[in-house]
Amino acid sequence: MIRKLYLLPLLSVALFSCAEDQDNGYEDIDLSERINAGGETTIFSTTTNSFSSPAPNLSAAETDNHFVGDLLFEASFVTAPAQVNPGLGSIYNNASCINCHPRDGRARHPTNVNSANGLLIRASLFGTDEHGGPVPVPGFGLQIQNRAVSGYVPEAAYMASYTTQTETFADGTTVTLRKPNIMLTDTYLPLPPGVMLSTRLGTPIFGLGLLEEIPEANITARQDINDSDGDGISGKANFVWNPFTHQTELGRFGWKANTASVIVQCAGAYVEDMGITNPIFTLESGHGQTNGGIPGATPEVDMETLEKVALYCKTLGVPAARNTNKPEVKNGAKLFEQLDCAKCHVPKQVTGNASVAALSNQTLYPYTDMLLHDMGEGLADNRPDFMASGSEWKTRPLWGIGLTNLVNGHTDFLHDGRARNIEEAILWHGGEAEKSKNKYKNLSAKQRSDLLEFINSL
Ligand code: HEC
Ligand code: HEC
């Protein structure tokens, strides 16, 4: 009897706190299952090479091909004729894949926008082309090359100016944000009126094969184009022209999900970023300034090269989540749900059957729904890309983000690298994510720090 009386208050306290958790719908999240962020492709190494290891579950032959792809990714191209890696230019943005995706990670926002760096500018005119895509600018195309090999002139020079704005938290703390405005100067031809520009930075490239193998139906099922559930968050798939398969397909890659597959992204990178023609893009984008890639000529890289470099991007392992037992990280994970971050940065995805067995039927934790969201005026580039409007961007995967500083020595985030850390990236969220941002601003300093610790554990 005495014993029962003694237990009762304890029991009711336990029941009460449990009920409270259930009221919010935010019980403790079991983070242990999320440690293997890339399923069986997960890499358990917290070093500067965390983004650069082949998935451990590849076959021996695939691993060999992965390493061939690795060399291709690192190859620095030079002007033809040359013994190795000829074909750079005539005009280009950078001479190797790795220069824009350092250590298979993320490019920093450059201090000198015309140095060899990971930033490029896409361009188009109002309207859509015959496939619903952006309209090339006559004489310039869809990307502005700011470098040229000897004997040719760059299309333009990039120029950056910055504006600042201040955000104030509920507790009075202020953060000053910077916004880069990138413009073109010294264009080799007069630029026609109405050119729309979009600044983009080189992204991390691990885990892409998994993202490519998420069944399309799983992605489109999350669309809520008219926000019928009324939570302020819609989400829309991009559908883009695939110049390899010659059909319209779900867009998965690029900051606006503007590319359907890894191999097309790689082929586009060769021709637009480096001036290297290939079997998917046989013509140079030099608009009269060509040093190769004339109609009918053999492409400067062959299909095997494209396939190997794409295999490399698809089969880089995903770094494991860390510190999942820390109370701060656990609390941060709950806040991530409470602030509705997880509605777009959907933690869990699965893959279906894939031609690379290592990518088949995996459970992954990329923290993306692969959908476009209206992120508001602040982030808008005002340049539509297929079905993505001027203010829509694809939810970025957050896996590996906490290792950016270790691997890349900086924490420049968002499509143009304007955010200098994760907190600034959150403060740029507007549009469908405005409510999430405002909830973040209302957190205490301790809660903010816990949320950031959680993101840094990914
Ligand atoms: C001038 C810098 C630059 C070079 C050179 C470059 N990239 Fe990229 N890469 C980017 C940028 C910027 C993006 C984002 C593009 C977008 O949003 O449209 C990107 C995106 C990608 C993506 C998609 C990543 C994702 O998560 O959506 C892949 C894959 C990729 N690049 C592979 C390559 C390969 C392979 C090469 C070499 C053949 C290469 N890149 C060369 C800058 C570069
Ligand atoms: C409505 C959908 C949506 C919501 C809600 C949302 N995000 Fe995002 N998030 C995005 C999109 C889209 C981007 C890419 C924006 C860009 O680059 O311009 C992004 C980018 C980020 C980045 C930078 C990633 C990178 O690779 O540069 C971080 C960090 C981030 N979000 C964290 C959060 C956190 C934390 C929350 C909750 C407070 C949150 N997000 C809520 C859609 C969302």
Side-chain angles (χ1 to χ4, degrees), residues 262-275:
V262 173
I263 197 163
V264 171
Q265 185 80 45
C266 296
Y270 270 126
V271 78
E272 289 280 358
D273 305 356
M274 294 153 71

Side-chain angles (χ1 to χ4, degrees), residues 324-442:
T324 47
N325 279 325
K326 272 183 89 173
E328 292 81 3
V329 169
K330 289 181 156 181
N331 191 40
K334 269 200 215 180
L335 288 164
F336 192 76
E337 301 278 332
Q338 286 168 14
L339 270 53
D340 285 343
C341 312
K343 284 199 172 168
C344 298
H345 297 281
V346 171
K348 181 175 169 175
Q349 297 281 2
V350 295
T351 62
N353 287 325
S355 56
V356 177
L359 304 173
S360 282
N361 303 310
Q362 298 297 314
T363 299
L364 49 144
Y365 291 91
Y367 294 87
T368 173
D369 56 4
M370 301 292 283
L371 296 175
L372 299 169
H373 294 276
D374 187 329
M375 297 298 283
E377 265 314 295
L379 280 176
D381 64 355
N382 300 310
R383 176 184 177 271
D385 211 335
F386 290 94
M387 302 185 58
S389 75
S391 53
E392 285 175 329
W393 299 95
K394 184 189 110 174
T395 307
R396 281 306 300 167
L398 298 179
W399 55 9
I401 195 167
L403 292 168
T404 308
N405 198 28
L406 176 66
V407 175
N408 293 126
H410 70 86
T411 52
D412 294 347
F413 297 117
L414 299 173
H415 61 271
D416 56 7
R418 66 177 68 187
R420 286 159 294 197
N421 51 51
I422 288 167
E423 180 160 83
E424 288 190 11
I426 297 169
L427 291 173
W428 276 109
H429 282 53
E432 294 173 37
E434 178 90 25
K435 271 198 232 158
S436 287
K437 177 192 65 188
N438 288 335
K439 286 190 197 166
Y440 180 81
K441 287 166 68 176
N442 285 326

Side-chain angles (χ1 to χ4, degrees), residues 36 43 68 75 87 182 192 195 221 288 306 315 320 326 357 401 406 419-420 429:
N36 290 353
I43 300 295
V68 176
I182 312 252
V195 174
L306 266 189
T315 55
K326 272 183 89 173
I401 195 167
L406 176 66
R420 286 159 294 197
H429 282 53

